[in-house]
């Protein structure tokens, strides 16, 4: 008797999970692990503190989490930094000391990252915008980026001449100080296109420069977008972005900001998908549960 037809088959492109802010742990084809913007801040840091400063109140409300630790990462063969602020880099030293990976960082911030986290210079790999880097496990294209300008919208920016501006933004999240990570993170940002060995393309774009980034990367036609969910974006604007880029799936970056206003991101993403469906688009957005592993697959199955 002939073997029966198979009714379903999956081809797994990669596995990933969201940790916090812009930190994704991505298991690449072949088993190596890429960690983007390594960050986690446990709520236990506030135990016993009765009078929180303004910054500590913000950290607790927007960033503090529970149920995870740096020990829970399965690997960090590559650590990729969009920018070097503490909420994008505070686990860099711990992960390097566990896994001895390569730290890929905007070139003008490379020396400060090495000094702040006491990482040997030879482990630091400086990145420049407009280049293509061929690593053993993936290809990386780099694009210029720009930090979100909320400080300007809120009128809270500091000039270099302001008292205390030299290290402004470097404090908090356990970052060793003095450090220049604050001002350097405000100036130097990179966006990326990551192409795996099985030709799966991931666009990573953070900050306020989506229109410029779109001009650089639109022809790449990524499969997956990791895109900054700036709190001022309407669901229509977020739907526009994935359609303009031509991706099939988009997961958010920096969406912990929604905690500041109590916004329900699951409802927000449902609204975005409703808009995409109404446009007869096959693109979809997805809000990942923290720490949970997901598989991204190409599937075929019988109806």
């Amino acid at each position: 008797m002939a073997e029966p037809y198979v009714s379903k088959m999956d081809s797994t492109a990669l596995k990933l999970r969201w940790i916090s802010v812009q930190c994704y742990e991505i298991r690449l084809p072949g088993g190596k692990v890429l960690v983007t913007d390594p960050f986690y801040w446990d709520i236990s840091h506030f135990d016993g503190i009765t009078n929180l400063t303004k910054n500590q109140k913000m950290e607790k409300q927007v960033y503090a989490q529970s149920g995870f630790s740096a020990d829970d990462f399965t690997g960090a063969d590559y650590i990729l930094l969009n920018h070097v602020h503490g909420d994008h880099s505070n686990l860099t030293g711990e992960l390097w000391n566990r896994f001895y990976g390569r730290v890929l960082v905007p070139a003008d911030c490379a020396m400060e990252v090495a000094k702040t986290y006491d990482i040997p210079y030879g482990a630091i790999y400086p990145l420049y915008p407009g280049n293509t880097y061929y690593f053993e496990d993936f290809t990386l294209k780099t694009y210029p980026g720009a930090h979100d300008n909320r400080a300007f919208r809120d009128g809270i920016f500091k000039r270099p001449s302001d008292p205390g501006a030299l290290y402004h933004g470097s404090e908090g999240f356990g970052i060793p100080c003095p450090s220049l990570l604050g001002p350097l993170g405000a100036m130097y940002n990179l966006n990326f296109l990551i192409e795996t060995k099985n030709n799966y393309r991931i666009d990573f774009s953070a900050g306020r420069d989506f229109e410029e980034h779109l001009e650089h990367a639109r022809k790449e036609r990524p499969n997956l977008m990791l895109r900054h969910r700036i709190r001022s974006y309407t669901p229509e604007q977020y739907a526009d972005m994935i359609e303009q880029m031509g991706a099939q799936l988009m997961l958010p970056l920096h969406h912990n900001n929604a905690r500041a206003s109590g916004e329900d991101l699951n409802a927000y993403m449902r609204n975005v998908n409703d808009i995409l469906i109404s446009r007869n688009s096959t693109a979809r957005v997805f809000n990942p549960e923290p720490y949970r592993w997901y598989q991204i697959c190409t599937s075929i199955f019988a109806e």
Side-chain angles (χ1 to χ4, degrees):
M1 183 176 178
E3 186 172 335
Y5 285 100
V6 174
S7 61
K8 183 179 184 295
M9 186 60 62
D10 298 317
S11 174
T12 301
L14 52 83
K15 298 179 181 180
L16 83 174
R17 61 176 172 173
W18 178 69
I19 308 302
S20 183
V21 189
Q22 292 184 181
C23 181
Y24 277 87
E25 184 179 2
I26 302 173
R27 187 164 295 281
L28 300 166
K32 293 294 182 66
V33 176
L34 167 67
V35 176
T36 64
D37 286 9
F39 172 80
Y40 178 77
W41 194 234
D42 199 89
I43 197 167
S44 64
H45 288 289
F46 302 99
D47 289 351
I49 303 178
T50 55
N51 295 311
L52 298 178
T53 66
K54 181 180 179 180
N55 275 349
Q56 287 173 327
K57 289 178 181 178
M58 179 273 295
E59 289 176 8
K60 185 174 182 180
Q61 179 187 17
V62 177
Y63 292 96
Q65 296 175 211
S66 61
F68 196 79
S69 77
D71 293 336
D72 293 321
F73 282 87
T74 64
D77 301 286
Y78 302 92
I79 298 172
L80 178 61
L81 301 182
N82 159 258
H83 68 285
V84 298
H85 282 160
D87 59 331
H88 297 259
S89 69
N90 79 333
L91 294 185
T92 302
E94 288 184 68
L95 291 183
W96 191 85
N97 282 310
R98 281 190 64 199
F99 300 108
Y100 303 112
R102 305 182 80 173
V103 181
L104 317 179
V105 58
D108 292 281
C109 309
M111 182 67 76
E112 193 68 12
V113 167
K115 291 192 296 184
T116 299
Y117 296 113
D118 199 24
I119 297 172
Y121 297 124
I124 304 290
Y125 197 107
L127 301 175
Y128 297 86
N131 283 358
T132 301
Y133 299 89
Y134 298 94
F135 298 107
E136 180 181 356
D137 301 283
F138 63 96
T139 299
L140 181 71
K141 293 184 179 181
T142 56
Y143 305 95
H147 194 266
D148 179 31
N149 63 353
R150 184 166 55 87
F152 287 88
R153 296 197 303 269
D154 296 345
I156 58 173
F157 59 87
K158 284 185 176 290
R159 302 177 186 274
S161 59
D162 289 343
L166 180 60
Y167 303 116
H168 178 68
S170 303
E171 65 278 7
F173 304 122
I175 305 300
C177 282
S179 166
L180 294 173
L181 296 187
L184 289 174
M187 286 191 291
Y188 299 106
N189 287 239
L190 287 178
N191 291 319
F192 311 107
L193 187 89
I194 302 161
E195 184 172 348
T196 69
K197 293 192 295 185
N198 61 351
N199 304 313
Y200 193 81
R201 294 185 170 194
I202 306 163
D203 180 84
F204 184 109
S205 59
R208 69 180 191 262
D209 65 328
F210 182 75
E211 291 76 17
E212 179 187 355
H213 179 68
L214 182 64
E215 292 301 313
H216 288 293
R218 193 199 315 253
K219 293 180 181 178
E220 298 289 352
R221 314 297 290 182
N223 306 96
L224 169 67
M225 287 181 69
L226 302 177
R227 172 62 194 155
H228 194 163
R229 211 295 300 213
I230 294 175
R231 68 187 72 177
S232 60
Y233 287 154
T234 65
E236 289 79 10
Q237 288 173 307
Y238 211 55
D240 289 342
M241 289 181 181
I242 186 170
E243 287 199 295
Q244 290 166 354
M245 187 65 76
Q248 293 92 45
L249 182 64
M250 180 159 67
L251 276 62
L253 296 171
H254 228 312
H255 46 299
N256 57 296
N257 285 342
R259 291 165 54 184
S261 59
E263 182 182 12
D264 184 344
L265 267 181
N266 287 327
Y268 177 93
M269 296 299 176
R270 176 178 50 78
N271 289 336
V272 176
N273 282 324
D274 287 345
I275 292 166
L276 292 168
I277 291 169
S278 72
R279 297 176 181 178
N280 294 317
S281 172
T282 59
R284 294 292 184 269
V285 299
F286 183 79
N287 187 35
E289 181 181 342
Y291 325 139
R292 184 173 186 176
W293 283 101
Y294 295 91
Q295 296 187 60
I296 298 180
C297 306
T298 298
S299 299
I300 183 168
F301 52 90
E303 292 187 343

